[in-house]
Amino acid sequence: MPVTVTVPATTANLGPGFDCLGLALSLHNTVVLEITPGGLTVLVEGEGVGALPVDESNLVVRAIKRLFAFCGRPVPGLHITLRNRIPVASGLGGSAAAVLGGLLAANHFLDQPLPLDDILTLATGMEGHPDNVAPALYGGLVLVNEHDGRLLVEPVRVPPLRAVVVLPDVDLPTLEARAILPAKVPLADAVFNAGRAALLVHALSQGDYDKLSVAMQDRVHQPYRIPLIPGMPQAFTAAMDAGAAGVALSGAGPSVVAFAAGSHQTIAEAMVRTFAAKGLDSRVWILEVDTAGSSVRCD
């Protein structure tokens, strides 16, 4: 009997929470896995058709194989259907969703399934950092740190929030966006970000929009990444002028995320016009917070 795994999109960093803060959003990828006598079949529907590989290099397949290898189990035949709504290479956690989808689907077929803590550790090992996989797994706003080889996960309860996500048509691979970052940051910038990140967690947990314009400021990664995306500085300004309470790159970009109490469509349209002035088309989503995280069900 096939298993179906649904994983939400995520927006990581949220400005100052570099590599340690992420929020799950109401946009989802679905992995349907069926064990077969032999062979591999991968079908892609929705986002990534024609772009994502359908062989053993597919990230979902790699995650499935990783879990079976970790548990000392041979890899069986696999029939996989990927129903994707998260855009590829968008800064919305598509790779984290793929990794978790594969791991959770394979875990279902173990006689003694691994606990979620182990799934998170494996997913982080494949991703390289936990700020997308933790909220995608558990849902909501998640603060996560590494200590002595362990991941310390702290869910943060938030009230209902709506996020405006705008994705300009720019090719910005995550590896390129990470490579541009300096190896060291000035002490003043580290102090700035520590204070802003603490304020951001408080503001989101309280739904305090008045503090978000300050709380979402960042000096560690956005000053280096924003220039890679034409029109992004102007899009930030346009979003704030249109009523956004706070705005940031979503993950490494090129998506931008803005929070507001209202006027969400107006904020989105303002950013779209800004990118259009630079010759870029954009896509828009207005999303709720996903509080459920990843789910597994048998069809």
Side-chain angles (χ1 to χ4, degrees), residues 228-246:
L228 299 176
I229 307 167
M232 186 59 78
Q234 296 86 349
F236 272 45
T237 300
M240 297 299 292
D241 289 347

PDB file of all heavy atoms in Angstrom, residues 228-246:
ATOM      1  N   LEU A 228      22.601  40.690  -5.560  1.00  0.00           N
ATOM      2  CA  LEU A 228      22.578  39.664  -6.598  1.00  0.00           C
ATOM      3  C   LEU A 228      21.246  39.621  -7.341  1.00  0.00           C
ATOM      4  O   LEU A 228      21.145  38.985  -8.391  1.00  0.00           O
ATOM      5  CB  LEU A 228      22.841  38.285  -5.979  1.00  0.00           C
ATOM      6  CG  LEU A 228      24.184  38.082  -5.258  1.00  0.00           C
ATOM      7  CD1 LEU A 228      24.235  36.698  -4.615  1.00  0.00           C
ATOM      8  CD2 LEU A 228      25.353  38.266  -6.222  1.00  0.00           C
ATOM      9  N   ILE A 229      20.225  40.282  -6.799  1.00  0.00           N
ATOM     10  CA  ILE A 229      18.864  40.197  -7.342  1.00  0.00           C
ATOM     11  C   ILE A 229      18.445  41.574  -7.836  1.00  0.00           C
ATOM     12  O   ILE A 229      18.230  42.483  -7.023  1.00  0.00           O
ATOM     13  CB  ILE A 229      17.876  39.694  -6.279  1.00  0.00           C
ATOM     14  CG1 ILE A 229      18.382  38.375  -5.669  1.00  0.00           C
ATOM     15  CG2 ILE A 229      16.484  39.512  -6.894  1.00  0.00           C
ATOM     16  CD1 ILE A 229      17.645  37.957  -4.418  1.00  0.00           C
ATOM     17  N   PRO A 230      18.314  41.778  -9.142  1.00  0.00           N
ATOM     18  CA  PRO A 230      17.934  43.100  -9.664  1.00  0.00           C
ATOM     19  C   PRO A 230      16.598  43.565  -9.079  1.00  0.00           C
ATOM     20  O   PRO A 230      15.628  42.810  -9.018  1.00  0.00           O
ATOM     21  CB  PRO A 230      17.816  42.864 -11.174  1.00  0.00           C
ATOM     22  CG  PRO A 230      18.674  41.671 -11.445  1.00  0.00           C
ATOM     23  CD  PRO A 230      18.557  40.809 -10.231  1.00  0.00           C
ATOM     24  N   GLY A 231      16.570  44.801  -8.605  1.00  0.00           N
ATOM     25  CA  GLY A 231      15.339  45.373  -8.098  1.00  0.00           C
ATOM     26  C   GLY A 231      15.005  45.028  -6.668  1.00  0.00           C
ATOM     27  O   GLY A 231      14.016  45.532  -6.119  1.00  0.00           O
ATOM     28  N   MET A 232      15.809  44.195  -6.017  1.00  0.00           N
ATOM     29  CA  MET A 232      15.443  43.767  -4.662  1.00  0.00           C
ATOM     30  C   MET A 232      15.466  44.914  -3.652  1.00  0.00           C
ATOM     31  O   MET A 232      14.534  45.022  -2.832  1.00  0.00           O
ATOM     32  CB  MET A 232      16.350  42.633  -4.200  1.00  0.00           C
ATOM     33  CG  MET A 232      15.933  42.032  -2.862  1.00  0.00           C
ATOM     34  SD  MET A 232      14.239  41.358  -2.874  1.00  0.00           S
ATOM     35  CE  MET A 232      14.494  39.803  -3.724  1.00  0.00           C
ATOM     36  N   PRO A 233      16.473  45.811  -3.640  1.00  0.00           N
ATOM     37  CA  PRO A 233      16.406  46.919  -2.672  1.00  0.00           C
ATOM     38  C   PRO A 233      15.138  47.756  -2.856  1.00  0.00           C
ATOM     39  O   PRO A 233      14.488  48.144  -1.881  1.00  0.00           O
ATOM     40  CB  PRO A 233      17.662  47.737  -2.973  1.00  0.00           C
ATOM     41  CG  PRO A 233      18.588  46.794  -3.660  1.00  0.00           C
ATOM     42  CD  PRO A 233      17.706  45.870  -4.446  1.00  0.00           C
ATOM     43  N   GLN A 234      14.787  48.004  -4.115  1.00  0.00           N
ATOM     44  CA  GLN A 234      13.581  48.786  -4.397  1.00  0.00           C
ATOM     45  C   GLN A 234      12.315  48.023  -3.997  1.00  0.00           C
ATOM     46  O   GLN A 234      11.324  48.626  -3.570  1.00  0.00           O
ATOM     47  CB  GLN A 234      13.540  49.161  -5.874  1.00  0.00           C
ATOM     48  CG  GLN A 234      14.665  50.067  -6.333  1.00  0.00           C
ATOM     49  CD  GLN A 234      15.939  49.335  -6.733  1.00  0.00           C
ATOM     50  OE1 GLN A 234      16.084  48.130  -6.477  1.00  0.00           O
ATOM     51  NE2 GLN A 234      16.868  50.059  -7.343  1.00  0.00           N
ATOM     52  N   ALA A 235      12.338  46.684  -4.119  1.00  0.00           N
ATOM     53  CA  ALA A 235      11.186  45.882  -3.724  1.00  0.00           C
ATOM     54  C   ALA A 235      10.962  45.955  -2.217  1.00  0.00           C
ATOM     55  O   ALA A 235       9.817  46.013  -1.749  1.00  0.00           O
ATOM     56  CB  ALA A 235      11.369  44.434  -4.166  1.00  0.00           C
ATOM     57  N   PHE A 236      12.038  45.939  -1.446  1.00  0.00           N
ATOM     58  CA  PHE A 236      11.923  46.098   0.000  1.00  0.00           C
ATOM     59  C   PHE A 236      11.225  47.423   0.326  1.00  0.00           C
ATOM     60  O   PHE A 236      10.297  47.479   1.139  1.00  0.00           O
ATOM     61  CB  PHE A 236      13.307  46.073   0.657  1.00  0.00           C
ATOM     62  CG  PHE A 236      13.815  44.708   1.023  1.00  0.00           C
ATOM     63  CD1 PHE A 236      13.711  43.637   0.143  1.00  0.00           C
ATOM     64  CD2 PHE A 236      14.427  44.491   2.237  1.00  0.00           C
ATOM     65  CE1 PHE A 236      14.197  42.389   0.471  1.00  0.00           C
ATOM     66  CE2 PHE A 236      14.915  43.250   2.591  1.00  0.00           C
ATOM     67  CZ  PHE A 236      14.794  42.190   1.706  1.00  0.00           C
ATOM     68  N   THR A 237      11.702  48.482  -0.309  1.00  0.00           N
ATOM     69  CA  THR A 237      11.134  49.804  -0.055  1.00  0.00           C
ATOM     70  C   THR A 237       9.677  49.865  -0.486  1.00  0.00           C
ATOM     71  O   THR A 237       8.821  50.403   0.235  1.00  0.00           O
ATOM     72  CB  THR A 237      11.945  50.877  -0.801  1.00  0.00           C
ATOM     73  OG1 THR A 237      13.303  50.850  -0.346  1.00  0.00           O
ATOM     74  CG2 THR A 237      11.372  52.264  -0.576  1.00  0.00           C
ATOM     75  N   ALA A 238       9.377  49.287  -1.661  1.00  0.00           N
ATOM     76  CA  ALA A 238       8.003  49.302  -2.159  1.00  0.00           C
ATOM     77  C   ALA A 238       7.062  48.556  -1.232  1.00  0.00           C
ATOM     78  O   ALA A 238       5.923  48.990  -0.991  1.00  0.00           O
ATOM     79  CB  ALA A 238       7.955  48.691  -3.563  1.00  0.00           C
ATOM     80  N   ALA A 239       7.525  47.435  -0.685  1.00  0.00           N
ATOM     81  CA  ALA A 239       6.687  46.671   0.238  1.00  0.00           C
ATOM     82  C   ALA A 239       6.373  47.476   1.490  1.00  0.00           C
ATOM     83  O   ALA A 239       5.225  47.521   1.951  1.00  0.00           O
ATOM     84  CB  ALA A 239       7.377  45.364   0.606  1.00  0.00           C
ATOM     85  N   MET A 240       7.384  48.130   2.046  1.00  0.00           N
ATOM     86  CA  MET A 240       7.164  48.924   3.253  1.00  0.00           C
ATOM     87  C   MET A 240       6.258  50.114   2.964  1.00  0.00           C
ATOM     88  O   MET A 240       5.348  50.427   3.748  1.00  0.00           O
ATOM     89  CB  MET A 240       8.502  49.388   3.823  1.00  0.00           C
ATOM     90  CG  MET A 240       9.417  48.257   4.288  1.00  0.00           C
ATOM     91  SD  MET A 240       8.742  47.234   5.621  1.00  0.00           S
ATOM     92  CE  MET A 240       8.740  48.429   6.962  1.00  0.00           C
ATOM     93  N   ASP A 241       6.464  50.765   1.831  1.00  0.00           N
ATOM     94  CA  ASP A 241       5.619  51.913   1.471  1.00  0.00           C
ATOM     95  C   ASP A 241       4.161  51.505   1.263  1.00  0.00           C
ATOM     96  O   ASP A 241       3.246  52.303   1.471  1.00  0.00           O
ATOM     97  CB  ASP A 241       6.151  52.583   0.204  1.00  0.00           C
ATOM     98  CG  ASP A 241       7.460  53.332   0.433  1.00  0.00           C
ATOM     99  OD1 ASP A 241       7.822  53.547   1.612  1.00  0.00           O
ATOM    100  OD2 ASP A 241       8.126  53.686  -0.563  1.00  0.00           O
ATOM    101  N   ALA A 242       3.960  50.230   0.842  1.00  0.00           N
ATOM    102  CA  ALA A 242       2.604  49.744   0.582  1.00  0.00           C
ATOM    103  C   ALA A 242       1.918  49.214   1.832  1.00  0.00           C
ATOM    104  O   ALA A 242       0.765  48.781   1.764  1.00  0.00           O
ATOM    105  CB  ALA A 242       2.636  48.656  -0.489  1.00  0.00           C
ATOM    106  N   GLY A 243       2.624  49.203   2.963  1.00  0.00           N
ATOM    107  CA  GLY A 243       1.986  48.801   4.203  1.00  0.00           C
ATOM    108  C   GLY A 243       2.574  47.597   4.907  1.00  0.00           C
ATOM    109  O   GLY A 243       2.029  47.157   5.925  1.00  0.00           O
ATOM    110  N   ALA A 244       3.690  47.029   4.395  1.00  0.00           N
ATOM    111  CA  ALA A 244       4.299  45.884   5.069  1.00  0.00           C
ATOM    112  C   ALA A 244       4.860  46.308   6.420  1.00  0.00           C
ATOM    113  O   ALA A 244       5.415  47.404   6.575  1.00  0.00           O
ATOM    114  CB  ALA A 244       5.400  45.281   4.203  1.00  0.00           C
ATOM    115  N   ALA A 245       4.728  45.424   7.407  1.00  0.00           N
ATOM    116  CA  ALA A 245       5.313  45.684   8.721  1.00  0.00           C
ATOM    117  C   ALA A 245       6.793  45.324   8.745  1.00  0.00           C
ATOM    118  O   ALA A 245       7.583  45.940   9.469  1.00  0.00           O
ATOM    119  CB  ALA A 245       4.568  44.880   9.787  1.00  0.00           C
ATOM    120  N   GLY A 246       7.180  44.322   7.980  1.00  0.00           N
ATOM    121  CA  GLY A 246       8.564  43.901   7.896  1.00  0.00           C
ATOM    122  C   GLY A 246       8.776  43.091   6.639  1.00  0.00           C
ATOM    123  O   GLY A 246       7.835  42.473   6.126  1.00  0.00           O
TER     124      GLY A 246
END
